[in-house]
Amino acid sequence: MLNEKFLDELFKPQKIYNKDALKNLFHDLAHASIMRLNEASMNKLYDLMTMVFKYQILAAREPRDLILISLNHMDAMRSLVQTSQVQKQLDACYYLVMKMYGQMTDGELQRVRFSILNFFQDIRIRVSIFLRKGVQNNDGSFVIPSDLTISYGNEIPGTTRVYQADGTIVDLLNFPSGGSYTLAVESGSTELRGRRGTDLGVNIYDSGKPVQTDSDGCEDSFDVAGGNTGYKDELNVLIAQLRQEQLGESSGEDPSSIIHFNLFPSFDRDSPGSELFDEPISSSQHSAVLEAIMSEMSLPAESGSGGVQSDLIQLL
């Protein structure tokens, strides 16, 4: 990928690739080593790559962030290799990037950004890590955050200046900006080895959890952030029934200390949202319809050590 001839060809002024050409290029790069992927794995890898890069470009605070994102990519590659030859190839790639894009104006970089976003406009594949972080909607579109870090050298939104004809300020008006903004204390560095000032372009696997695309079954995953409470309601009915039989109405013991079960092995009990399974149940929280369902599901009390477990099995 860092071959001199390949880089020279890549940086020649040319029209943007079509999607088929890009996928073929990505396929060849992925199989340049001894690694071999079947078609399904290759498609998942390509989908993940395109959606992560689309998010990085969309979330850029200003046009010049495109350069910082690219430098973060190269910094990540640099941290993976120790061979001096590859390090020199990365240095050569850095100088090519800065030679082509470092001299562009903000307007020119913005046109590059718009071209990339137009290319990815119709690609909406859900990625599990984005769904968990709340930066992606269930339809595959991305969430526009209201809390942002404003690039160094700019001002936080919320002020209107009124000027006279000669350019002097005669009044300052404040208005609610509708978001929570902080100002960056320094600008990102474009030096060969510097602080980029942005997390866009760094490793998204740092959380240690596997990343899934829509084809991995993400559609059926338990989406806490999206407000899917169907599982919660069903489990609440079961917990309420078991509590009535085992504790009785006079017991003040917390039912969450008695019943702990997980119907979703892939769901981390300690992760945010796991409290949905352990939420105490109060009959006043249920509607009349739910109360009727609960009364129909009442089970006779049974003696023996396996009472709760056997009742749960019969319910299921």
Side-chain angles (χ1 to χ4, degrees), residues 138-238:
N138 285 328
D139 62 355
S141 61
F142 289 112
V143 177
I144 304 299
S146 58
D147 52 337
L148 297 172
T149 300
I150 306 300
S151 300
Y152 180 80
N154 297 291
E155 296 183 8
I156 294 178
T159 303
T160 301
R161 294 179 177 85
V162 181
Y163 293 87
Q164 287 183 337
D166 59 358
T168 59
I169 299 176
V170 295
D171 196 6
L172 290 176
L173 303 176
N174 295 323
F175 63 91
S177 59
S180 176
Y181 304 101
T182 56
L183 191 62
V185 296
E186 61 179 356
S187 60
S189 173
T190 57
E191 297 296 327
L192 181 61
R193 292 174 176 83
R195 295 170 57 89
R196 309 307 177 195
T198 178
D199 291 333
L200 298 175
V202 300
N203 188 4
I204 66 170
Y205 294 90
D206 287 340
S207 62
K209 293 185 178 181
V211 176
Q212 295 178 328
T213 59
D214 188 70
S215 55
D216 292 318
C218 187
E219 182 175 358
D220 297 327
S221 63
F222 185 77
D223 182 17
V224 176
N228 185 357
T229 59
Y231 298 120
K232 172 187 172 183
D233 294 338
E234 294 179 12
L235 291 174
N236 283 347
V237 173
L238 292 177

Side-chain angles (χ1 to χ4, degrees), residues 60-285:
R61 299 169 299 181
E62 60 176 351
R64 198 152 296 276
D65 275 1
L66 268 64
I67 300 176
L68 300 177
I69 292 171
S70 299
L71 296 182
N72 270 337
H73 293 163
M74 287 188 285
D75 290 343
M77 289 190 289
R78 193 184 302 277
S79 65
L80 296 175
V81 296
Q82 302 296 330
T83 308
S84 59
Q85 181 181 358
V86 180
Q87 293 282 349
K88 291 179 180 179
Q89 290 176 321
L90 282 168
D91 292 346
C93 183
Y94 163 81
Y95 290 117
L96 287 173
V97 169
M98 296 307 300
K99 180 180 178 181
M100 173 166 286
Y101 299 104
Q103 307 302 320
M104 285 187 176
T105 64
D106 287 345
E108 291 172 330
L109 287 172
Q110 186 72 318
R111 290 183 61 185
V112 173
R113 179 172 178 264
F114 285 158
S115 297
I116 297 174
L117 291 177
N118 286 335
F119 180 85
F120 290 114
Q121 183 175 8
D122 297 327
I123 301 178
R124 292 187 176 185
I125 301 169
R126 296 185 300 172
V127 180
S128 63
I129 191 171
F130 288 155
L131 293 171
R132 289 198 301 268
K133 290 183 177 181
V135 300
Q136 190 178 31
N137 298 312
N138 285 328
D139 62 355
S141 61
F142 289 112
V143 177
I144 304 299
S146 58
D147 52 337
L148 297 172
T149 300
I150 306 300
S151 300
Y152 180 80
N154 297 291
E155 296 183 8
I156 294 178
T159 303
T160 301
R161 294 179 177 85
V162 181
Y163 293 87
Q164 287 183 337
D166 59 358
T168 59
I169 299 176
V170 295
D171 196 6
L172 290 176
L173 303 176
N174 295 323
F175 63 91
S177 59
S180 176
Y181 304 101
T182 56
L183 191 62
V185 296
E186 61 179 356
S187 60
S189 173
T190 57
E191 297 296 327
L192 181 61
R193 292 174 176 83
R195 295 170 57 89
R196 309 307 177 195
T198 178
D199 291 333
L200 298 175
V202 300
N203 188 4
I204 66 170
Y205 294 90
D206 287 340
S207 62
K209 293 185 178 181
V211 176
Q212 295 178 328
T213 59
D214 188 70
S215 55
D216 292 318
C218 187
E219 182 175 358
D220 297 327
S221 63
F222 185 77
D223 182 17
V224 176
N228 185 357
T229 59
Y231 298 120
K232 172 187 172 183
D233 294 338
E234 294 179 12
L235 291 174
N236 283 347
V237 173
L238 292 177
I239 294 174
Q241 284 296 304
L242 294 173
R243 184 187 67 168
Q244 290 176 0
E245 293 298 331
Q246 297 299 320
L247 299 180
E249 296 295 332
S250 61
S251 175
E253 189 172 357
D254 185 2
S256 63
S257 64
I258 295 178
I259 303 169
H260 294 286
F261 55 95
N262 186 3
L263 301 182
F264 310 99
S266 62
F267 190 79
D268 186 2
R269 186 180 182 84
D270 296 327
S271 65
S274 61
E275 65 275 3
L276 296 179
F277 297 97
D278 293 331
E279 183 176 339
I281 305 300
S282 173
S283 59
S284 61
Q285 297 175 350

